[in-house]
DNA sequence: CCCTTTCTGTAAAGGTCGCTACAGAAAGGA
DNA sequence: TCCTTTCTGTAGCGACCTTTACAGAAAGGG
């Protein structure tokens, strides 16, 4: 289609600009990243930005889409699909999260988990919440699959386990943003993975109290 | 001291107004709660608000102070001080968090954990981060105390356990805000408490993989 | 009663926000 | 070369933000 475009050529690369916008949103959140910030970071004027992406929300949506389809946004689905058991998958997810949330070349934490909970614009809140709910559903289904297949005992509670894993991931993302280093997060991931395995496999662990 | 004040009396109760402001900040966050919102919720004009509390940030600080000294802000310290062991204390903390984060008469989640990570104004970010770091330090010290007292084995890693607990609490707060009901959060708390106890008491739980 | 003190409502200043009208620049087509 | 098409920079729009100036209202002191 239209290999030769007609008018004045664009002065910037759209994908590069999108990635810069993603990093800005990822670091500072939706509302706190102003269009003025974006034009500065992308090195283009506001009209160019609006012509290329629509408005600020559309640019954010495109950035989220880019995030969701990148390694950062797909490592959970990949682990759930590739590992032979739910326990193995979640162990891998927690370990990879510890590494991914503290990568030196990108903002800390998970965009959907950390930026997502900081947004206040209704449409953005809804979209991010939907993504989190989707992740929880996928994780729940993976546990349920192991129960159905007989890998995990019949009494297993998939919703509980998935929510537990989701909570730990959310906490790790927040801790990473607060400056926790990778090595500490990795130790936390091991505790969480062990706790997940114990709960999944129905091992009774007596907590004090009732 | 001055029992008889001289000028025109204030038309509202300062503490009641402070609590309303706390709830507004707690629900919507610092930046998303505008002064116009506050004057509407408190039922007073902007000049009255500024005369009574200073500026928006000072009002937020006062609200955080009120939160931190309330039951919601002290249940962690109380559990750490009152329970005989660190494991018992953290079990209680996680259970109380599940209940407190889903109380029907106040905003969901923890203000310091959830609103704290959503703020972008530098002074507010710093203050909330400091409160989170303080909580982590207190929790770490409590575990260390049990190690020193011989209640927990010498190889115990207090920083790891405290960060794990902090991450779970942060995740539970976020899940509560996302709409997780109390009963689900309580199940999650049990998994986390069991995982904490297992890790604290040095029980080897074989996770798959390395 | 009048003065001082303090609070109240109106109303606006000064700044930033997202967004866009407009004129000029840079390309291809004829 | 001239036209059309598309992008770029300037400059500004209205809306909202936090904060305050100002005049009037409501209390006590003398």
């Amino acid at each position: 289609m239209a290999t030769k475009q007609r008018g004045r050529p664009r002065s910037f690369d759209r994908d590069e600009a999108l990635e810069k916008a993603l990093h800005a949103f990822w670091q500072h959140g939706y509302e706190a990243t102003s269009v003025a910030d974006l034009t500065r970071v992308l090195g283009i004027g506001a009209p160019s930005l609006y012509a290329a992406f629509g408005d600020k929300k559309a640019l954010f949506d495109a950035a989220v889409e880019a995030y969701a389809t990148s390694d950062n946004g797909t490592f959970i689905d990949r682990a759930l699909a590739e590992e032979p058991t739910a326990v193995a998958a979640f162990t891998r997810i927690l370990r990879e999260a510890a590494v991914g949330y503290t990568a030196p070349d990108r903002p800390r934490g998970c965009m959907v988990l950390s930026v997502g909970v900081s947004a206040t614009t209704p449409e953005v809140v809804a979209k991010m919440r939907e993504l989190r709910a989707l992740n929880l559903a996928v994780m729940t289904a993976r546990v349920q699959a192991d129960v159905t297949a007989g890998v995990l005992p019949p009494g297993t509670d998939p919703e509980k386990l998935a929510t537990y894993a989701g909570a730990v991931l959310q906490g790790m993302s927040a801790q990473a943003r607060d400056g926790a280093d990778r090595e500490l997060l990795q130790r936390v991931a091991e505790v969480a993975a062990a706790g997940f395995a114990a709960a999944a496999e129905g091992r009774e662990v007596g907590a004090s109290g009732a």
Side-chain angles (χ1 to χ4, degrees), chain A:
Chain A
M1 324 258 215
T3 44
K4 295 282 188 185
Q5 56 253 21
R6 282 271 310 215
R8 174 175 176 173
R10 192 173 272 144
S11 69
F12 60 96
D13 184 272
R14 197 183 183 276
D15 291 341
E16 281 179 17
L18 185 57
E19 193 159 351
K20 288 177 188 169
L22 166 60
H23 273 67
F25 281 129
W26 191 350
Q27 184 136 49
H28 303 109
Y30 177 70
E31 290 87 1
T33 306
S34 70
V35 174
D37 290 336
L38 290 167
T39 60
R40 200 180 318 114
V41 169
L42 308 198
I44 64 178
S48 301
L49 187 154
Y50 278 82
F53 298 104
D55 59 4
K56 182 185 172 182
K57 191 164 67 60
L59 173 55
F60 180 79
D61 287 345
V64 169
E65 164 94 20
Y67 179 84
T69 56
S70 74
D71 285 353
N72 305 303
T74 54
F75 79 98
I76 290 179
D77 298 275
R78 268 185 286 121
L80 291 176
E82 293 171 8
E83 295 298 322
T85 66
V87 168
F90 279 97
T91 301
R92 173 174 148 187
I93 286 169
L94 289 162
R95 286 176 178 165
E96 288 189 1
V99 174
Y101 291 172
T102 55
D105 59 336
R106 51 180 187 266
R108 295 194 146 230
C110 168
M111 175 155 184
V112 175
L113 295 183
S114 284
V115 169
V117 296
S118 82
T120 56
T121 303
E123 299 96 323
V124 174
V125 170
K127 189 185 190 78
M128 303 301 268
R129 205 183 291 244
E130 187 186 330
L131 285 174
R132 290 194 295 276
L134 197 93
N135 247 333
L136 271 181
V138 172
M139 295 195 291
T140 305
R142 184 64 186 85
V143 176
Q144 180 61 59
D146 265 28
V147 177
T148 305
V151 178
L152 289 173
T156 308
D157 182 344
E159 188 187 28
K160 176 182 76 174
L161 290 171
T163 306
Y164 168 74
V168 171
L169 289 172
Q170 198 132 19
M172 286 173 61
S173 177
Q175 305 271 5
R177 294 212 134 212
D178 266 4
D181 62 20
R182 172 174 293 181
E183 193 264 339
L184 173 58
L185 234 54
Q186 286 176 316
R187 281 182 280 155
V188 170
E190 291 307 318
V191 175
F196 184 93
E201 288 156 12
R203 272 176 255 158
E204 280 306 314
V205 197
S208 76

